[in-house]
């Protein structure tokens, strides 16, 4: 007899996989962090080391609320992507649309960063500081960008002459 009772519209929508349309109905970041801080699939623990995290959107890979890509409303990540011989620098941000929070594949948004040091730094400043996204992480993002940029440089091969004496 219970199945013959008409369902209220709210229950009918919930049973069909309806996601709340606004961010106000989403889970607060502090509550989400309390749920995932003790145990989640991205944690990497080892002896005599801080707990690390492998989640996308975690800037330095440390398991903390400040850098978490899962439990922050504004996550920031900087990484490289290799496609064949080409390497690119990718900035990962949370998608600004609140409806994307309920779709795991569309939750994060990636932006390509220029490899030219001046242009790349300006692009990072525009995205993070001027847009009031995460100005507190801007120095860390710039430092990581510089390290990634240096890692792309290849060592120059020096040709040594056999006739000239070796320099000591």
């Amino acid at each position: 007899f219970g199945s013959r009772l008409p369902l209220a519209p709210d229950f009918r929508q919930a049973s069909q996989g309806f996601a709340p349309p606004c961010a106000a109905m989403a889970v607060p970041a502090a509550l989400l962090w309390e749920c995932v801080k003790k145990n989640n699939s991205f944690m990497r623990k080892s002896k005599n080391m801080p707990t690390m995290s492998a989640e996308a959107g975690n800037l330095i890979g440390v398991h903390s609320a400040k850098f978490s890509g899962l439990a922050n409303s504004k996550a920031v990540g900087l990484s490289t992507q290799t496609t064949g011989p080409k390497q690119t620098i990718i900035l990962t941000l949370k998608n600004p649309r609140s409806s994307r929070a309920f779709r795991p594949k569309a939750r994060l948004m990636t932006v390509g960063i220029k490899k030219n040091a001046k242009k790349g730094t300006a692009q990072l400043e525009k995205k993070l500081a001027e847009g009031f996204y995460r100005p507190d992480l801007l120095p860390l993002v710039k430092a990581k960008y510089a390290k990634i940029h240096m890692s792309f440089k290849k060592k120059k091969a020096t040709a040594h002459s056999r006739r000239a004496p070796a320099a000591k």
Side-chain angles (χ1 to χ4, degrees):
F1 293 116
S3 63
R4 293 183 187 162
L5 294 174
L7 293 173
D10 295 335
F11 294 119
R12 196 172 311 138
Q13 289 175 344
S15 66
Q16 295 172 356
F18 176 77
C22 65
M25 297 178 76
V27 179
L31 177 63
L32 193 55
W33 174 249
E34 290 298 321
C35 293
V36 300
K37 75 178 180 180
K38 295 276 185 192
N39 189 18
N40 69 58
S41 62
F42 297 107
M43 286 175 63
R44 306 291 187 259
K45 292 183 179 181
S46 49
K47 290 183 179 180
N48 301 325
M49 292 289 292
T51 303
M52 304 305 278
S53 179
E55 61 200 27
N58 190 325
L59 182 62
I60 59 173
V62 173
H63 182 68
S64 72
K66 180 179 180 180
F67 301 112
S68 177
L70 292 173
N72 257 330
S73 58
K74 295 181 176 180
V76 177
L78 198 64
S79 59
T80 61
Q81 183 179 17
T82 306
T83 309
K86 294 179 75 176
Q87 291 182 318
T88 54
I89 301 173
I90 302 292
L91 178 69
T92 306
L93 304 169
K94 269 258 171 93
N95 203 319
R97 293 186 181 179
S98 59
S99 63
R100 301 296 193 264
F102 303 104
R103 301 185 208 168
K105 286 185 180 178
R107 186 177 64 87
L108 295 173
M109 180 178 68
T110 58
V111 178
I113 301 295
K114 297 189 182 304
K115 288 186 192 176
N116 183 328
K118 271 188 186 176
K119 290 181 181 180
T121 307
Q123 194 176 4
L124 289 171
E125 285 178 5
K126 185 176 180 185
K127 284 281 183 191
L128 299 177
E130 292 174 16
F132 300 107
Y133 191 75
R134 286 294 297 268
D136 60 322
L137 295 181
L138 186 60
L140 292 172
V141 171
K142 283 183 179 180
K144 187 166 182 178
Y145 175 79
K147 287 181 181 180
I148 290 173
H149 191 263
M150 285 296 290
S151 73
F152 284 169
K153 294 186 177 182
K154 306 289 183 216
K155 283 190 172 182
K156 293 181 180 178
T158 56
H160 297 288
S161 173
R162 293 183 193 169
R163 293 183 209 160
K168 289 185 182 179

Coordinates of all heavy atoms in Angstrom, one line a residue, residues 109-157:
M109 N 38.3 23.1 -13.4 CA 38.5 23.7 -14.7 C 40.0 23.9 -14.9 O 40.7 24.3 -14.0 CB 37.8 25.1 -14.7 CG 37.9 25.9 -15.9 SD 36.9 27.4 -15.7 CE 37.9 28.3 -14.5
T110 N 40.5 23.6 -16.1 CA 41.9 23.8 -16.4 C 42.1 24.9 -17.4 O 41.4 25.1 -18.3 CB 42.5 22.5 -16.9 OG1 41.9 22.1 -18.1 CG2 42.5 21.4 -15.9
V111 N 43.2 25.7 -17.1 CA 43.6 26.8 -18.0 C 45.1 26.6 -18.3 O 45.9 26.4 -17.4 CB 43.4 28.1 -17.2 CG1 43.8 29.3 -18.1 CG2 41.9 28.3 -16.7
G112 N 45.4 26.8 -19.6 CA 46.8 26.7 -20.0 C 47.5 28.0 -19.6 O 47.0 29.1 -19.8
I113 N 48.7 27.9 -19.1 CA 49.5 29.1 -18.7 C 50.7 29.2 -19.7 O 51.3 28.2 -20.1 CB 50.1 28.9 -17.3 CG1 48.9 28.7 -16.3 CG2 51.0 30.1 -16.9 CD1 48.0 29.9 -16.2
K114 N 51.0 30.4 -20.1 CA 52.0 30.7 -21.1 C 53.4 30.3 -20.5 O 53.6 30.5 -19.3 CB 52.0 32.2 -21.5 CG 50.7 32.6 -22.2 CD 50.9 33.9 -22.8 CE 49.6 34.4 -23.4 NZ 49.1 33.5 -24.5
K115 N 54.3 29.9 -21.3 CA 55.7 29.5 -20.9 C 56.6 30.7 -20.7 O 57.6 30.6 -20.0 CB 56.3 28.5 -21.8 CG 55.6 27.1 -21.7 CD 56.4 26.2 -22.6 CE 55.7 24.9 -22.8 NZ 56.4 24.0 -23.7
N116 N 56.3 31.8 -21.4 CA 57.1 33.0 -21.3 C 57.0 33.5 -19.8 O 55.9 33.7 -19.3 CB 56.6 34.1 -22.3 CG 57.4 35.3 -22.2 OD1 58.0 35.7 -21.2 ND2 57.5 36.0 -23.4
A117 N 58.1 33.7 -19.1 CA 58.1 34.0 -17.7 C 57.3 35.2 -17.4 O 56.5 35.2 -16.4 CB 59.5 34.1 -17.2
K118 N 57.4 36.3 -18.1 CA 56.7 37.5 -17.8 C 55.2 37.3 -18.1 O 54.4 37.7 -17.2 CB 57.2 38.7 -18.7 CG 58.3 39.5 -18.2 CD 58.6 40.7 -19.0 CE 59.8 41.4 -18.6 NZ 60.1 42.5 -19.5
K119 N 54.9 36.8 -19.2 CA 53.5 36.6 -19.6 C 52.8 35.6 -18.7 O 51.6 35.8 -18.3 CB 53.3 36.2 -21.0 CG 53.7 37.3 -22.0 CD 53.5 36.8 -23.4 CE 53.9 37.9 -24.4 NZ 53.7 37.4 -25.8
G120 N 53.5 34.5 -18.3 CA 52.9 33.5 -17.5 C 52.6 34.0 -16.1 O 51.6 33.8 -15.5
T121 N 53.6 34.8 -15.5 CA 53.4 35.4 -14.2 C 52.3 36.4 -14.2 O 51.5 36.4 -13.3 CB 54.7 36.1 -13.7 OG1 55.8 35.1 -13.8 CG2 54.6 36.5 -12.3
A122 N 52.2 37.2 -15.2 CA 51.1 38.1 -15.4 C 49.7 37.4 -15.4 O 48.7 37.9 -14.8 CB 51.3 39.0 -16.6
Q123 N 49.7 36.3 -16.2 CA 48.5 35.5 -16.3 C 48.0 34.9 -15.0 O 46.9 35.0 -14.6 CB 48.7 34.4 -17.3 CG 47.5 33.8 -17.8 CD 47.8 32.7 -18.9 OE1 48.9 32.5 -19.3 NE2 46.7 32.1 -19.4
L124 N 49.0 34.5 -14.2 CA 48.7 33.9 -12.8 C 48.2 35.0 -11.9 O 47.2 34.8 -11.2 CB 49.9 33.3 -12.2 CG 50.4 31.9 -12.9 CD1 51.7 31.5 -12.4 CD2 49.4 30.9 -12.7
E125 N 48.8 36.2 -12.0 CA 48.4 37.3 -11.1 C 47.0 37.7 -11.5 O 46.2 38.0 -10.6 CB 49.3 38.5 -11.3 CG 50.6 38.3 -10.6 CD 51.6 39.5 -10.8 OE1 51.2 40.5 -11.4 OE2 52.7 39.4 -10.3
K126 N 46.7 37.7 -12.8 CA 45.3 38.1 -13.2 C 44.3 37.2 -12.7 O 43.2 37.6 -12.3 CB 45.3 38.2 -14.7 CG 44.0 38.7 -15.3 CD 44.0 38.9 -16.8 CE 42.7 39.4 -17.3 NZ 42.7 39.5 -18.8
K127 N 44.6 35.9 -12.8 CA 43.6 34.9 -12.4 C 43.4 34.8 -10.9 O 42.3 34.7 -10.4 CB 44.1 33.5 -12.9 CG 43.9 33.2 -14.3 CD 42.5 32.8 -14.6 CE 42.3 32.5 -16.0 NZ 40.9 32.4 -16.4
L128 N 44.5 34.9 -10.1 CA 44.4 34.7 -8.7 C 44.2 36.0 -7.9 O 43.3 36.1 -7.0 CB 45.7 34.0 -8.2 CG 45.9 32.6 -8.8 CD1 47.1 32.0 -8.2 CD2 44.7 31.7 -8.5
A129 N 45.1 37.0 -8.1 CA 45.1 38.2 -7.2 C 44.0 39.2 -7.7 O 43.2 39.7 -6.9 CB 46.4 38.8 -7.2
E130 N 44.1 39.6 -9.0 CA 43.2 40.6 -9.5 C 41.7 40.1 -9.5 O 40.8 40.9 -9.4 CB 43.6 41.0 -10.9 CG 44.9 41.8 -10.9 CD 45.5 42.1 -12.2 OE1 44.7 42.0 -13.2 OE2 46.7 42.4 -12.4
G131 N 41.5 38.8 -9.7 CA 40.2 38.3 -9.7 C 39.7 37.9 -8.3 O 38.6 37.4 -8.1
F132 N 40.5 38.2 -7.3 CA 40.2 37.9 -5.9 C 39.9 36.4 -5.7 O 39.0 36.1 -4.9 CB 39.0 38.8 -5.3 CG 39.3 40.2 -5.4 CD1 38.7 41.1 -6.3 CD2 40.2 40.8 -4.5 CE1 39.0 42.4 -6.4 CE2 40.5 42.2 -4.6 CZ 39.9 43.0 -5.5
Y133 N 40.6 35.6 -6.4 CA 40.3 34.1 -6.3 C 41.0 33.6 -5.1 O 40.3 33.2 -4.1 CB 40.7 33.4 -7.6 CG 40.2 32.0 -7.7 CD1 38.9 31.7 -7.9 CD2 41.1 30.9 -7.4 CE1 38.4 30.4 -8.0 CE2 40.6 29.6 -7.5 CZ 39.3 29.4 -7.7 OH 38.9 28.1 -7.8
R134 N 42.3 33.5 -5.1 CA 43.1 33.1 -3.9 C 44.4 33.9 -3.8 O 45.5 33.4 -4.1 CB 43.4 31.6 -4.0 CG 42.3 30.6 -3.7 CD 41.8 30.6 -2.3 NE 42.7 30.2 -1.3 CZ 42.9 29.0 -0.8 NH1 42.2 28.0 -1.3 NH2 43.8 28.8 0.2
P135 N 44.3 35.2 -3.5 CA 45.5 36.0 -3.4 C 46.5 35.5 -2.4 O 47.7 35.8 -2.5 CB 45.0 37.4 -3.1 CG 43.6 37.2 -2.6 CD 43.1 35.9 -3.1
D136 N 46.0 34.8 -1.4 CA 46.9 34.3 -0.3 C 47.9 33.2 -0.9 O 49.0 33.0 -0.4 CB 46.1 33.7 0.9 CG 45.2 32.5 0.4 OD1 44.6 32.6 -0.7 OD2 45.1 31.6 1.2
L137 N 47.5 32.5 -1.9 CA 48.4 31.5 -2.5 C 49.2 32.0 -3.7 O 50.0 31.2 -4.2 CB 47.5 30.3 -3.0 CG 46.8 29.5 -1.9 CD1 46.0 28.4 -2.6 CD2 47.7 29.0 -0.9
L138 N 49.1 33.2 -4.0 CA 49.9 33.8 -5.2 C 51.4 33.6 -5.1 O 52.0 33.1 -6.0 CB 49.5 35.2 -5.4 CG 50.1 35.8 -6.7 CD1 49.6 35.1 -7.9 CD2 49.8 37.3 -6.8
P139 N 52.0 33.9 -3.9 CA 53.5 33.6 -3.9 C 53.9 32.2 -4.1 O 54.9 31.9 -4.7 CB 53.9 34.1 -2.4 CG 52.7 35.0 -2.0 CD 51.5 34.5 -2.7
L140 N 53.1 31.3 -3.5 CA 53.4 29.8 -3.7 C 53.2 29.4 -5.2 O 53.9 28.6 -5.7 CB 52.5 29.0 -2.8 CG 52.7 29.1 -1.3 CD1 51.7 28.4 -0.5 CD2 54.1 28.5 -1.0
V141 N 52.1 29.9 -5.8 CA 51.9 29.6 -7.2 C 53.0 30.1 -8.1 O 53.5 29.4 -9.0 CB 50.5 30.2 -7.7 CG1 50.4 30.0 -9.2 CG2 49.4 29.5 -7.0
K142 N 53.5 31.4 -7.8 CA 54.6 31.9 -8.6 C 55.9 31.1 -8.4 O 56.6 30.9 -9.3 CB 54.9 33.4 -8.1 CG 53.9 34.4 -8.7 CD 54.3 35.7 -8.3 CE 53.4 36.8 -8.8 NZ 53.8 38.1 -8.4
A143 N 56.2 30.7 -7.2 CA 57.3 29.9 -6.9 C 57.3 28.5 -7.6 O 58.2 28.1 -8.2 CB 57.5 29.6 -5.4
K144 N 56.1 27.9 -7.6 CA 55.9 26.6 -8.3 C 56.0 26.8 -9.8 O 56.6 26.0 -10.5 CB 54.6 26.0 -7.9 CG 54.5 24.6 -8.5 CD 53.4 23.8 -7.9 CE 53.4 22.4 -8.4 NZ 52.3 21.6 -7.9
Y145 N 55.5 27.9 -10.3 CA 55.6 28.2 -11.7 C 57.1 28.3 -12.1 O 57.5 27.8 -13.2 CB 54.8 29.5 -12.1 CG 55.0 29.9 -13.5 CD1 54.3 29.3 -14.5 CD2 55.9 30.9 -13.9 CE1 54.4 29.7 -15.8 CE2 56.0 31.3 -15.2 CZ 55.3 30.7 -16.2 OH 55.5 31.1 -17.5
A146 N 57.8 29.0 -11.3 CA 59.3 29.2 -11.6 C 60.0 27.9 -11.7 O 60.8 27.6 -12.5 CB 59.9 30.1 -10.6
K147 N 59.7 27.0 -10.7 CA 60.3 25.7 -10.7 C 59.9 24.8 -11.9 O 60.8 24.1 -12.5 CB 59.9 24.9 -9.4 CG 60.6 25.5 -8.2 CD 60.2 24.7 -7.0 CE 60.9 25.2 -5.7 NZ 60.5 24.5 -4.5
I148 N 58.6 24.9 -12.3 CA 58.2 24.1 -13.4 C 58.8 24.7 -14.7 O 59.3 23.9 -15.6 CB 56.6 24.2 -13.6 CG1 56.0 23.3 -12.4 CG2 56.2 23.7 -14.9 CD1 54.5 23.5 -12.4
H149 N 58.9 26.0 -14.8 CA 59.5 26.7 -15.9 C 61.0 26.3 -16.1 O 61.5 26.0 -17.2 CB 59.4 28.2 -15.8 CG 59.7 28.9 -17.1 ND1 60.9 29.5 -17.3 CD2 59.0 29.1 -18.2 CE1 60.9 30.1 -18.4 NE2 59.8 29.9 -19.0
M150 N 61.7 26.2 -15.0 CA 63.1 25.8 -15.0 C 63.3 24.3 -15.4 O 64.3 24.0 -16.0 CB 63.8 26.0 -13.6 CG 64.1 27.5 -13.3 SD 65.3 28.2 -14.4 CE 66.8 27.3 -13.9
S151 N 62.3 23.5 -15.0 CA 62.4 22.1 -15.3 C 62.2 21.8 -16.8 O 62.7 20.8 -17.3 CB 61.4 21.3 -14.5 OG 60.1 21.5 -15.0
F152 N 61.6 22.8 -17.5 CA 61.4 22.6 -19.0 C 62.7 22.9 -19.7 O 62.9 22.4 -20.9 CB 60.3 23.5 -19.5 CG 59.0 23.1 -19.1 CD1 57.9 23.9 -19.3 CD2 58.7 21.8 -18.7 CE1 56.6 23.5 -19.0 CE2 57.4 21.4 -18.4 CZ 56.4 22.3 -18.6
K153 N 63.7 23.6 -19.1 CA 64.9 24.0 -19.9 C 65.8 22.8 -20.0 O 66.0 22.0 -19.0 CB 65.6 25.1 -19.2 CG 64.8 26.4 -19.2 CD 65.5 27.5 -18.7 CE 64.7 28.8 -18.8 NZ 65.4 30.0 -18.3
K154 N 66.3 22.6 -21.1 CA 67.3 21.4 -21.4 C 68.7 21.9 -21.2 O 69.0 23.1 -21.5 CB 67.1 20.9 -22.8 CG 65.7 20.5 -23.2 CD 65.3 19.3 -22.5 CE 63.9 18.9 -22.9 NZ 63.1 18.3 -21.9
K155 N 69.6 21.1 -20.8 CA 71.0 21.4 -20.6 C 71.6 21.6 -22.0 O 71.3 20.7 -22.9 CB 71.8 20.4 -19.8 CG 71.5 20.5 -18.4 CD 72.5 19.5 -17.7 CE 72.4 19.8 -16.2 NZ 73.4 18.9 -15.4
K156 N 72.4 22.6 -22.2 CA 73.0 22.8 -23.5 C 74.2 21.9 -23.6 O 75.1 21.8 -22.7 CB 73.5 24.3 -23.7 CG 72.3 25.2 -23.8 CD 72.8 26.6 -23.9 CE 71.6 27.6 -24.0 NZ 72.0 29.0 -24.1
A157 N 74.4 21.2 -24.7 CA 75.5 20.3 -24.9 C 76.7 21.2 -25.4 O 76.6 22.0 -26.3 CB 75.2 19.3 -26.0

